[in-house]
Amino acid sequence: MPTMSMRSAPSLVGSMRLSPLYQALGIGSTETIFLIGHADGLPLNDPYQVSSVQDVVNLMGADADCPLLRALLEAYYSGARDIFLVAAAPMSEYVNELADRSTVVEGMTFWQRYQERLNVTYALLLQWDLPKFIVPVEASLTGTGGVDFLTPLAEHCDAAFGITGAIRLGLLGNKGKLDDAMIQEALADNRLDSLGDAGRFVAVLLGEALLLIQELPSTYATPVVAAVAGELSNLRLDRGLTYHRLRNVIRPTHADLSSATIQALAERGLNVMIR
């Protein structure tokens, strides 16, 4: 079963084709999503409102290795129509292979450099009252060599609520195949007990899934945070994703979990996909 550590993301040469299914996007169509990540073609830390998916594909050079572009397509095909993209870092800093992200390059690992970039982005987004959901693409709860992506995200959403009065929910994924070791590490994570009120503003989604997006030439494994954000952007306030089918998701990359494991994760406030 392929994971990001076992195979590279698909490569695409040339432009993605224009899809006749692309629909108009704009503020108010759904809840607003801010996707943050690595990309070229956009100014750094300057939120870009997506009015045309095809225009963004062209701006980013139809680079199927670009995590921010993939996240846009994942959110769009999950129903999101009110999307902003925020390039926090250039593609020159992106490391595709999970196994290489803990390698020190010029004094920092990928995780450390990305955390610094995100902290700058979060500070610039504090005054914005538009985001309902904010997704740091490719950030992870575990396996980051001690780099903490959870606390800054929760504190940012909490601070933004205090400044703007608008609720902002951060969605954090988890890179790598969900196995017993990762589950035990997540269950033992003491950050889940120390976030305080800020913990209300962040949701952790464990596990990756195989996705199929029509513009991309093959399936690929990724956390489902962008897809979940797209699904949530369409739901009424009194609805959730329990037993909700995720569009474009073929299957989780992890084996079926026992009822006891699912319950233990739920009691720690950790969300996980089931088949």
Side-chain angles (χ1 to χ4, degrees), residues 8 89 111 127 130 134 151 182 195 204 225 238 244 246 254:
S8 299
W111 300 117
Q127 303 293 334
L130 286 176
I134 187 167
T151 304
M182 185 183 294
L195 292 176
V204 178
V225 281
D238 61 344
H244 181 95
L246 298 178
H254 54 264

Side-chain angles (χ1 to χ4, degrees), residues 14-149:
S15 297
M16 297 177 184
R17 70 182 185 278
L18 175 63
S19 171
L21 299 179
Y22 287 154
Q23 299 177 14
L25 287 82
I27 293 178
S29 300
T30 60
E31 298 288 358
T32 306
I33 299 172
F34 271 48
L35 301 173
I36 306 172
H38 295 76
D40 290 333
L42 299 176
L44 293 183
N45 294 317
D46 185 8
Y48 176 91
Q49 183 183 0
V50 180
S51 58
S52 165
V53 174
Q54 186 63 43
D55 285 350
V56 175
V57 169
N58 296 339
L59 278 174
M60 296 185 179
D63 182 6
D65 289 333
C66 174
L68 197 55
L69 180 54
R70 293 201 304 265
L72 165 63
L73 294 172
E74 292 159 17
Y76 173 82
Y77 281 116
S78 295
R81 294 293 180 268
D82 190 348
I83 307 171
F84 282 75
L85 304 179
V86 186
M91 282 296 291
S92 60
E93 295 180 5
Y94 179 62
V95 177
N96 183 42
E97 294 296 333
L98 185 59
D100 296 334
R101 294 188 176 185
S102 296
T103 302
V104 177
V105 178
E106 298 181 354
M108 302 180 74
T109 67
F110 165 85
W111 300 117
Q112 292 168 335
R113 186 170 286 107
Y114 190 28
Q115 182 190 48
E116 284 196 352
R117 290 286 196 177
L118 286 174
N119 288 340
V120 173
T121 302
Y122 291 154
L124 293 171
L125 292 180
L126 273 179
Q127 303 293 334
W128 287 68
D129 60 359
L130 286 176
K132 178 65 176 292
F133 302 103
I134 187 167
V135 181
V137 180
E138 296 290 314
S140 182
L141 177 71
T142 67
T144 62
V147 176
D148 182 6
F149 289 100

